[in-house]
Amino acid sequence: KQALTAYRDVTPRRADGTVIDIAANIGSLEEIDAAKEAGAMGVGLFRTELLFMRHIHLPSEDLQAETYSSLARAFAPHAVIVRTLDIGGDKPIAGVDFPDEENPFLGWRGIRMCLDRPDIFKPQLRALLRAAVHGNIKVMLPMISDVGEVRATKTLIGECAAELAAAGTAFAHFDLGVMIETPAAVLIAPALAREVAFFSIGTNDLTQYIMAADRLNPTVAKLNDVTHPAVMAAIELTAKAGTDAGIMVGMCGEAAGRPDLIPAFIAMGLTELSMSPSSIQRAKKCVLEGSKAD
Ligand code: PYR
């Protein structure tokens, strides 16, 4: 068995020469070294929840700008895709009063909460605009189920840019994308693709919502299967809508690192797969050997 480390620095391509980005899912600056050591071609999912959960107060715009700038610098020229705050009543944070909900996974979470709390969302968006000066920052919105959510976010980004410009603070525009993790997002993917620069498929939540099976409930664990034909069809519809519109389609759920599924995802048109750093070398090997076999 050839050591997987031999694949650390390869740039995997599919048969037609298109580069397949194998990126890392991380949630803190402490994980940068391990991701780079593994050969990550950027970050496909930076979870910002930890930044918010670590502190007694909401993290300031300055602290966020420093954090996102450090990430951008560490991986430039590769992209760092930052997911805006994705929390709900199942994992509350200081500074946000969550309502009591029967079904927090169907409730006030992700983009829904952020759009209702511009006092939290706008500092994050301003921090991301500031960080974009220092590298290749991209931003993606979680839990999207309506085109209006994207448009409302764009309005807020426009306000943030105007505020930074008025204050004389340096900023740059970033590519905006959406996570595809609800059935609604899959079904309106062609309309979403006209609004954004990329899709990232979150297979963990997408599987739970397509199958209507709580992923933390062991009684329905059998239904929580990304290889179910319904989930694979949802991924394929998303990939087709994105590639037809000419935007990048990636994946950042656990399935992205599975060697048994990677060839199918690449055949569907995905060009970015983001995973835990420990899966990166195996995934690069898989893409490389898949393209050789073509
Ligand atoms: C998901 O797969 O649902 C993620 O949020 C990554």
Side-chain angles (χ1 to χ4, degrees):
K1 173 172 167 280
Q2 190 175 6
L4 282 176
T5 49
Y7 295 91
R8 193 185 78 172
D9 297 319
V10 305
T11 299
R13 294 170 190 274
R14 64 181 190 203
D16 71 350
T18 302
V19 172
I20 304 296
D21 280 314
I22 305 295
N25 294 347
I26 63 175
S28 69
L29 297 183
E30 288 87 335
E31 294 167 74
I32 290 176
D33 288 346
K36 294 187 73 164
E37 193 53 38
M41 301 157 72
V43 172
L45 168 61
F46 183 73
R47 300 183 175 92
T48 54
E49 293 74 56
L50 199 55
L51 191 56
F52 282 75
M53 286 161 33
R54 262 188 186 171
H55 301 278
I56 301 167
H57 306 289
L58 292 168
S60 68
E61 177 183 325
D62 283 348
L63 174 65
Q64 291 189 67
E66 271 172 43
T67 304
Y68 309 144
S69 298
S70 299
L71 267 173
R73 282 193 208 97
F75 288 95
H78 290 302
V80 171
I81 303 180
V82 179
R83 179 175 69 187
T84 59
L85 186 59
D86 186 20
I87 49 163
D90 58 303
K91 46 175 176 177
I93 54 167
V96 186
D97 277 329
F98 283 90
D100 260 335
E101 296 177 312
E102 293 252 345
N103 289 305
F105 280 102
L106 302 180
W108 196 58
R109 59 186 306 110
I111 193 68
R112 302 167 180 183
M113 186 279 274
C114 284
L115 287 173
D116 286 345
R117 290 292 303 268
D119 59 312
I120 295 173
F121 199 19
K122 285 182 70 177
Q124 182 168 47
L125 294 171
R126 278 195 301 265
L128 288 163
L129 288 163
R130 290 166 59 181
V133 171
H134 302 286
N136 187 1
I137 290 279
K138 300 182 189 221
V139 174
M140 68 180 174
L141 309 175
M143 201 61 195
I144 290 290
S145 53
D146 187 273
V147 174
E149 293 161 340
V150 181
R151 296 200 182 124
T153 301
K154 286 182 176 174
T155 301
L156 288 180
I157 293 169
E159 290 173 19
C160 289
E163 287 155 11
L164 291 170
T169 307
F171 70 95
H173 284 286
F174 47 68
D175 277 354
L176 183 68
V178 288
M179 290 202 62
I180 302 291
E181 52 188 346
T182 68
V186 173
L187 295 170
I188 60 167
L192 288 170
R194 288 194 286 276
E195 297 284 338
V196 296
F198 65 96
F199 287 161
S200 186
I201 302 170
T203 53
N204 307 339
D205 275 330
L206 183 64
T207 303
Q208 137 167 298
Y209 292 128
I210 289 279
M211 299 305 294
D214 180 348
R215 62 179 157 105
L216 304 176
N217 181 344
T219 345
V220 292
K222 219 167 53 182
L223 287 172
N224 231 300
D225 174 11
V226 70
T227 67
H228 189 284
V231 184
M232 292 302 276
I235 295 169
E236 190 161 19
L237 274 172
T238 301
K240 181 167 184 343
T243 51
D244 282 354
I247 67 169
M248 185 194 90
V249 183
M251 177 181 284
C252 62
E254 264 162 50
R258 279 180 56 172
D260 57 329
L261 301 179
I262 287 174
F265 296 149
I266 289 173
M268 289 177 191
L270 273 64
T271 56
E272 186 247 15
L273 299 168
S274 191
M275 59 200 67
S276 74
S278 61
S279 300
I280 285 176
Q281 287 160 17
R282 197 180 51 186
K284 283 188 169 184
K285 175 172 190 275
C286 176
V287 175
L288 215 64
E289 292 180 350
S291 69
K292 269 186 204 141
D294 276 335

